Amino acid sequence: KGYALDPTSQSKDLQRIATQITVQHSMEAGKAHKVLTNVGTLEQLDIRIIGPAIQESLKAVIAHYSAEDLVKRRDEMKRHMVTEIQQFITETLEKKGLTGAVTIHGVAVTDFDFSPDFNKSIESKVRAEQDALRAENEKVRRSTEAEAKAIEDKRKSDGQAYETDALSKARAAALPREAEATKI
């Protein structure tokens, strides 16, 4: 059976977050009679044990993460959430003498719903980070082009200097021959 809940809690950075969460669970057949006697029907089990486990665990876990971290570290948060829910249910059932009466098969955190203002601030932050990255890439591109131009200019200058030097040496070597040729 699955029990879904949409509780609201606050993150470490005090953002209100509505979370959609579903816990898949079953009652152990051998303990069903005892659960029905001490807790009630499956619906009452959900209301009295599963629901409070979700709400308390979610509040406790969400409070350890900033809103941004909830998105970035979702898998870690989910593992933390599963552990907390299982622990809460185990402790609650032990107090009622129902150890092992419920098995958790899965926990699905299907959505985080942040305030519209927070969503806008995240979009602005992402846009600013992208703009900064674009500017840095453009700076690197311009710097690389400037370095390449400087290298090309140096090569050209070195080539001209070599050519001038070679011509000067050739001219210097030719002058005595010209002078000798004009004496005749």
Side-chain angles (χ1 to χ4, degrees), residues 134-180:
R134 256 192 300 279
E136 182 62 27
N137 288 339
E138 180 63 22
K139 177 181 166 186
V140 168
R141 184 190 64 78
R142 278 188 262 131
S143 175
T144 302
E145 286 175 354
E147 287 174 12
K149 184 172 179 353
I151 289 169
E152 180 63 28
D153 289 348
K154 178 151 179 25
R155 285 183 182 153
K156 190 183 274 186
S157 174
D158 287 350
Q160 289 172 346
Y162 178 79
E163 184 179 335
T164 301
D165 184 54
L167 284 174
S168 296
K169 286 179 182 176
R171 181 78 179 132
L175 281 175
R177 286 189 303 248
E178 285 177 16
E180 192 62 36

Side-chain angles (χ1 to χ4, degrees), residues 95-113:
K95 289 176 188 174
K96 296 182 178 297
L98 298 170
T99 303
V102 174
T103 301
I104 302 299
H105 300 287
V107 175
V109 179
T110 55
D111 193 21
F112 291 122
D113 189 17

